[in-house]
Amino acid sequence: MNRLFRYCPHCGAELEQADESRTPRMRCGTCGFVQYLNPAPAAGILVRDDEGLVLLVRRKFEPFRGLWTMPAGFIEYGEEVAETAVRELEEETGLVIEIAGIHTVESCRDDPRGNTVLVLFEGHVKSGKLEAGDDAEEVGFFSLDSLPEIAFSCQRRVLQRLISGVS
Ligand SMILES: [Zn+2]
């Protein structure tokens, strides 16, 4: 997908290639606007129960509809990173989580909506009742030996490291 604007979102003038940068950027010759392309930040949580099973949700919507992920979502403007993770998890699974720390940070380059950076926390269930909600079709705890098909390369890498005992 070509993510570069053709017209300035501020003044409507046609954009031109800005050539002083190694990264391709579009610039407005009229008002000076430069379109910087950055990955979108997302936050999620790795939750493991007492037996080490991992909490996963099955995606109800595209992209990767029907595949599974650790609960995660895009950070809203003005939201704290950890707040996003807790909110997404509660919306998708009904569980309220206490964050213990950051598990890892990963770049994800196979989301058709654009590149993302995933801040993945880890935490434990504080309260709530496990129930699929919002954009989750199903929720469940899975053994690392028998994971379902996982969406997003960054999520697969994280789980693969858990399987190999690296993290
Ligand atoms: Zn402009």
Side-chain angles (χ1 to χ4, degrees), residues 8-13 15 28-33:
C8 178
H10 295 294
C11 76
L15 297 180
C28 176
T30 305
C31 77
F33 165 79

Side-chain angles (χ1 to χ4, degrees), residues 43-63:
I45 310 188
L46 165 65
V47 179
R48 302 184 77 177
D49 71 4
D50 296 340
E51 283 138 45
L53 304 185
V54 176
L55 177 60
L56 297 175
V57 303
R58 188 161 183 235
R59 296 177 60 78
K60 199 192 269 183
F61 302 111
E62 297 295 348

Side-chain angles (χ1 to χ4, degrees), residues 21-156:
S21 165
R22 273 174 296 163
T23 308
R25 300 191 201 290
M26 299 303 277
R27 167 192 297 281
C28 176
T30 305
C31 77
F33 165 79
V34 178
Q35 183 191 4
Y36 295 99
L37 275 182
N38 303 108
I45 310 188
L46 165 65
V47 179
R48 302 184 77 177
D49 71 4
D50 296 340
E51 283 138 45
L53 304 185
V54 176
L55 177 60
L56 297 175
V57 303
R58 188 161 183 235
R59 296 177 60 78
K60 199 192 269 183
F61 302 111
E62 297 295 348
F64 306 122
R65 180 178 170 187
L67 303 195
W68 295 76
T69 68
M70 289 171 275
F74 289 109
I75 300 170
E76 297 290 350
Y77 202 77
E79 199 173 38
E80 289 284 340
V81 186
E83 219 179 310
T84 306
V86 171
R87 172 181 59 73
E88 288 285 343
L89 195 134
E90 189 172 359
E91 286 171 1
E92 293 176 356
T93 71
L95 298 177
V96 180
I97 294 296
E98 184 162 49
I99 285 185
I102 290 178
H103 179 74
T104 187
V105 177
E106 291 281 326
S107 292
C108 223
R109 297 190 191 89
D110 65 343
D111 188 326
R113 295 166 296 183
N115 294 346
T116 63
V117 171
L118 173 67
V119 179
L120 189 69
F121 293 90
E122 47 193 18
H124 343 272
V125 179
K126 208 164 63 174
S127 58
K129 181 173 169 283
L130 188 61
E131 193 171 19
D134 203 36
D135 45 5
E137 189 129 64
E138 280 178 68
V139 288
F141 281 91
F142 289 82
S143 160
L144 289 172
D145 303 337
S146 56
L147 291 177
E149 197 179 347
I150 304 295
F152 305 115
S153 57
C154 57
Q155 292 237 358
R156 288 196 294 277

